[in-house]
Amino acid sequence: VIQLEDIWKTYQTGEVSLTALKGIDLTIRRGEFAAIMGPSGSGKSTLMNVIGCLDQKDQGNYLLNGRSISELSANELAKIRNEEIGFVFQSFNLLSKLNLRENVELPMVYAGIGRKARTERAMAALDAVGLADWARHKPNEVSGGQKQRAAIARAIALKPALIMADEPTGNLDSKSSHEIMQLFATLNEEGTTILLITHEADVAAYARRIIRFGDGRIVDDPMKRGA
Amino acid sequence: VIQLEDIWKTYQTGEVSLTALKGIDLTIRRGEFAAIMGPSGSGKSTLMNVIGCLDQKDQGNYLLNGRSISELSANELAKIRNEEIGFVFQSFNLLSKLNLRENVELPMVYAGIGRKARTERAMAALDAVGLADWARHKPNEVSGGQKQRAAIARAIALKPALIMADEPTGNLDSKSSHEIMQLFATLNEEGTTILLITHEADVAAYARRIIRFGDGRIVDDPMKRGA
Ligand SMILES: Nc1ncnc2c1ncn2[C@@H]1O[C@H](COP(=O)(O)OP(=O)(O)OP(=O)(O)O)[C@@H](O)[C@H]1O
Ligand SMILES: Nc1ncnc2c1ncn2[C@@H]1O[C@H](COP(=O)(O)OP(=O)(O)OP(=O)(O)O)[C@@H](O)[C@H]1O
Ligand SMILES: [Mg+2]
Ligand SMILES: [Mg+2]
């Protein structure tokens, strides 16, 4: 369960400061399937980075499974980031010197999982996204959509409790997009919490809750409308 | 005018060989606005790289403005790549050490354009994609959709005769996507030839011709149907 209360974040670039998150209140319950939509530059990825413990908020409370993340040690945070949350980055973030299988295995290496188990899970994840035959290719030897699918495979291989996917179908044709969304729907039925950012309405349609973002704020949230 | 006759290309990865283009016949006339659609991994970016002289075909003829590109010197090829063709890459390819304005100016630096003219044109291009206020930000200090728009600005700043855009709206919300497509439509009215790869049907709708790709071949081309 994710609980954000009055979250603010400002970026400083030279003398320019830009407030990317302006008082975000958001609750995500276990097993939810939510999509975040909003204009380019409105703060969606920034919000994901704060939730995923990849970047720090300036102000406000963030409770993860009931515990304030400011109480967690650096080790506890790292463990959560790596084992509890599977992250599909908007720009994939694959390592160019490793092949696709090694890239998919990376979070499992950090989690201390043994080599045989890692390879089995990595190949299963690559197979789930249609990339089993490209396991030994490097990122610069595969297509844009294949890189995107490899990033998805890496996020799901460890079977994390929460998957955060930032524009996971931006480089995929509609058939591949639906295959990926079917995969997320199946994981969600098995109990995985899914939070995704997308600008495509038919991708957002797989979610049960669509949260709309605008200029650093949540401008619509079905869970908040009656309030 | 682009004329491709029986173009073949195979990638070798270790002992694995994959034929990405299997006998492509394609003609693009001056002033055309064409879109290429097809599944992930079907060879679209590979085709763009061959047309843009960024990668070599293994077999077949490629005539650019009536001249076979195998007759062109390395210098002539470089000049065409840099000044005649504006390329929006699927993975943007912005340089992380330069700010957005410097990134947009880069093709103009190679073309020998003076500093004052470059800066004017770069700021006009950034303004056209809504990024004038981010000119001094570096790529890692802007959002995914902003990076994509900076890559588009760089492709149009030199006013090239041909623009090739590989998934130019993959990271953009629908409002920004339509603004970018309006921009391309305007450039096309002014005489620029536009060839874009997209998997989004409402982006392809701006083109006058939709070429469908599948497994390394053209599987539908309105210009070829009567034949
Ligand atoms: N440098 C390379 N070395 C080996 N194989 C490659 C290389 N680049 C691409 N491929 C393979 O060639 C095929 C076509 O790739 P290409 O990038 O042209 O596809 P695409 O149609 O652009 O796909 P997408 O829609 O996913 O971007 C894919 O199967 C890919 O794995
Ligand atoms: N590291 C940074 N330094 C300075 N400003 C930043 C940084 N990262 C993002 N920004 C700015 O913060 C704002 C929000 O960025 P964010 O990446 O969260 O947007 P987004 O909603 O994900 O956009 P997109 O849909 O284009 O991916 C943007 O205006 C962006 O320029
Ligand atoms: Mg983003
Ligand atoms: Mg591609």
Side-chain angles (χ1 to χ4, degrees):
Chain A
V1 150
I2 292 165
Q3 236 165 313
L4 301 176
E5 292 165 13
D6 197 36
I7 298 289
W8 289 75
K9 180 169 179 68
T10 297
Y11 290 111
Q12 197 71 36
T13 317
E15 334 88 44
V16 177
S17 78
L18 193 153
T19 302
L21 299 178
K22 303 175 184 172
I24 300 293
D25 295 315
L26 180 65
T27 299
I28 309 280
R29 290 168 189 75
R30 195 174 310 284
E32 273 212 61
F33 193 159
I36 298 176
M37 300 185 82
S40 173
S42 56
K44 308 179 296 295
S45 297
T46 301
L47 178 67
M48 293 280 263
N49 289 342
V50 166
I51 295 175
C53 305
L54 294 163
D55 204 353
Q56 295 218 8
K57 57 185 167 55
D58 298 324
Q59 228 180 289
N61 292 321
Y62 173 14
L63 295 118
L64 186 58
N65 295 327
R67 293 182 63 192
S68 165
I69 60 140
S70 32
E71 295 175 2
L72 301 174
S73 71
N75 278 345
E76 283 173 298
L77 264 180
K79 193 167 189 295
I80 286 171
R81 259 203 310 265
N82 191 52
E83 296 179 30
E84 303 277 325
I85 302 175
F87 219 114
V88 186
F89 293 93
Q90 191 167 6
S91 51
F92 319 151
N93 295 7
L94 299 170
L95 300 189
S96 52
K97 293 197 162 52
L98 306 182
N99 66 31
L100 296 195
R101 180 185 54 79
E102 293 165 332
N103 264 288
V104 172
E105 288 191 16
L106 212 46
M108 294 189 270
V109 172
Y110 291 132
I113 295 185
R115 196 156 80 72
K116 187 163 175 299
R118 284 202 314 261
T119 302
E120 280 177 18
R121 287 201 211 186
M123 291 311 297
L126 283 168
D127 192 51
V129 300
L131 287 179
D133 293 346
W134 281 266
R136 299 173 66 184
H137 280 58
K138 295 213 170 55
N140 71 341
E141 295 169 341
V142 301
S143 78
Q146 289 165 342
K147 287 199 257 287
Q148 186 150 42
R149 286 184 273 151
I152 292 164
R154 182 180 60 190
I156 67 177
L158 242 184
K159 297 224 170 295
L162 166 68
I163 289 175
M164 305 233 283
D166 196 342
E167 309 275 7
T169 62
N171 281 287
L172 301 179
D173 56 286
S174 52
K175 179 158 174 289
S176 305
S177 290
H178 285 289
E179 289 168 358
I180 292 298
M181 293 313 297
Q182 289 291 354
L183 174 57
F184 284 161
T186 304
L187 290 171
N188 182 244
E189 281 164 21
E190 297 170 0
T192 307
T193 307
I194 303 200
L195 183 57
L196 67 94
I197 293 173
T198 183
H199 65 262
E200 296 186 57
D202 36 354
V203 166
Y206 281 79
R208 289 188 294 276
R209 173 185 175 193
I210 296 178
I211 298 157
R212 295 193 184 273
F213 231 78
D215 194 30
R217 291 183 177 87
I218 290 178
V219 298
D220 186 42
D221 181 356
M223 301 285 232
K224 287 261 167 85
R225 275 181 212 155
Chain B
V1 152
I2 293 166
Q3 236 166 313
L4 301 177
E5 292 166 11
D6 196 37
I7 299 287
W8 289 75
K9 178 167 182 71
T10 297
Y11 290 111
Q12 197 70 35
T13 317
E15 333 88 44
V16 176
S17 80
L18 193 154
T19 302
L21 298 178
K22 302 174 184 168
I24 300 292
D25 296 314
L26 181 65
T27 299
I28 308 281
R29 291 169 188 76
R30 197 174 307 282
E32 272 212 63
F33 193 159
I36 298 176
M37 301 187 81
S40 174
S42 55
K44 308 179 297 295
S45 297
T46 301
L47 178 67
M48 292 279 262
N49 290 339
V50 167
I51 294 175
C53 306
L54 294 164
D55 207 350
Q56 293 217 10
K57 57 186 167 54
D58 296 325
Q59 225 179 295
N61 292 320
Y62 173 14
L63 294 120
L64 185 58
N65 295 326
R67 295 182 64 192
S68 164
I69 60 143
S70 31
E71 296 173 3
L72 301 175
S73 72
N75 278 342
E76 283 174 299
L77 264 180
K79 193 168 190 295
I80 287 170
R81 258 202 313 263
N82 191 51
E83 298 180 27
E84 303 278 324
I85 302 174
F87 218 114
V88 187
F89 294 93
Q90 193 166 6
S91 51
F92 319 151
N93 293 11
L94 298 170
L95 301 189
S96 53
K97 293 196 162 47
L98 305 183
N99 66 31
L100 295 196
R101 179 186 54 78
E102 292 164 334
N103 264 288
V104 171
E105 287 191 18
L106 213 46
M108 295 190 269
V109 172
Y110 291 134
I113 294 183
R115 196 157 79 76
K116 187 163 176 299
R118 283 200 316 258
T119 303
E120 279 176 20
R121 289 201 211 187
M123 292 309 301
L126 282 169
D127 192 49
V129 301
L131 287 180
D133 293 348
W134 281 266
R136 299 172 68 183
H137 280 56
K138 296 213 171 52
N140 70 343
E141 295 169 341
V142 299
S143 77
Q146 289 166 342
K147 287 199 256 287
Q148 186 150 43
R149 285 184 274 153
I152 291 164
R154 181 180 60 190
I156 68 176
L158 241 186
K159 298 226 170 292
L162 165 69
I163 290 177
M164 305 232 282
D166 195 345
E167 309 275 5
T169 62
N171 281 286
L172 300 180
D173 55 288
S174 51
K175 179 159 175 288
S176 306
S177 290
H178 285 288
E179 289 169 359
I180 291 299
M181 294 314 296
Q182 290 289 353
L183 174 58
F184 284 160
T186 303
L187 290 170
N188 184 242
E189 281 163 22
E190 295 170 0
T192 306
T193 308
I194 303 200
L195 182 58
L196 68 94
I197 295 173
T198 183
H199 63 262
E200 297 187 55
D202 38 352
V203 167
Y206 281 80
R208 289 189 293 275
R209 172 185 177 196
I210 296 180
I211 298 157
R212 295 193 185 274
F213 231 78
D215 194 30
R217 293 185 176 85
I218 290 179
V219 299
D220 187 42
D221 181 354
M223 300 285 231
K224 286 261 165 85
R225 272 181 215 154

